[in-house]
Amino acid sequence: MADSVRPVPEGYHTATPYLICSGGAEAIDFYKRAFGAVELMRMPMPNGRLGHAELKIGDSVIMLADENPESGIRSPEHYGGTPVSVLLYVESVDAVFEQAVSCGAKAVRAPQDMFYGDRTSSLIDPFGHSWYIHTHVKDVSSEAMKKCRARCQRTVDQSHRV
């Protein structure tokens, strides 16, 4: 029987974001409203904190839990931000960006077309997590990207400013 167990469970990918939040239950509600997440499971702890939860956004599972300072598990707020971002591909970057902002996310960069073929935006959710929201709008070859890279670098640099 052990031979039939898959090393990556069905429905999961080899890399799965695990977000630590201050206010996990509220984060679940935000992700449902902002990104259309579907709650797969929720495991509250006896102390009232969220021990573990799983959401599905599109075809990907995102895990999350409340911070647990006693175990050294902290949310981005504890550190004053996060160096890690989650990239979310969606049907309409403009609609999802506007929805997330209307639900309380902080806009970092409004949607815009980029030289590599994606329409992109970025935001910070109310729990301190950074999200890149993308829609792939054009297939661009590696050769075309190399030619454009030097010419487009100024535009990319300017687009990352708040």
Side-chain angles (χ1 to χ4, degrees):
M1 182 150 185
D3 290 337
S4 65
V5 175
R6 297 173 54 153
V8 178
E10 179 125 12
Y12 293 78
H13 299 288
T14 55
T16 301
Y18 202 118
L19 307 179
I20 304 302
C21 301
S22 176
E26 293 86 2
I28 290 171
D29 291 339
F30 171 80
Y31 298 136
K32 286 178 177 178
R33 289 182 289 116
F35 302 137
V38 175
E39 184 175 336
L40 301 177
M41 68 177 314
R42 185 186 301 216
M43 297 171 54
M45 297 184 340
N47 65 6
R49 290 185 190 144
L50 181 62
H52 177 77
E54 295 182 10
L55 306 175
K56 193 162 199 172
I57 301 176
D59 66 354
S60 299
V61 172
I62 301 215
M63 299 180 183
L64 66 97
D66 270 323
E67 66 179 354
N68 188 347
E70 302 84 72
S71 299
I73 300 169
R74 304 275 189 173
S75 73
E77 293 167 338
H78 173 78
Y79 300 104
T82 179
V84 177
S85 295
V86 179
L87 193 151
L88 182 62
Y89 273 107
V90 298
E91 289 290 321
S92 171
V93 63
D94 296 88
V96 172
F97 178 83
E98 289 303 322
Q99 180 66 25
V101 170
S102 74
C103 289
K106 177 187 171 198
V108 175
R109 186 168 39 92
Q112 58 187 285
D113 293 333
M114 300 303 285
F115 71 93
Y116 45 84
D118 285 0
R119 184 162 175 77
T120 72
S121 67
S122 62
L123 51 86
I124 304 292
D125 73 29
F127 308 93
H129 296 285
S130 172
W131 294 80
Y132 288 110
I133 313 298
H134 285 215
T135 298
H136 186 68
V137 295
K138 181 180 177 184
D139 291 328
V140 180
S141 71
S142 296
E143 301 306 316
M145 277 193 262
K146 286 177 188 174
K147 288 177 184 174
C148 181
R149 194 166 113 180
R151 186 179 75 239
C152 298
Q153 191 59 48
R154 281 193 306 271
T155 303
V156 171
D157 289 343
Q158 292 170 354
S159 73
H160 286 6
R161 293 186 190 139
V162 176

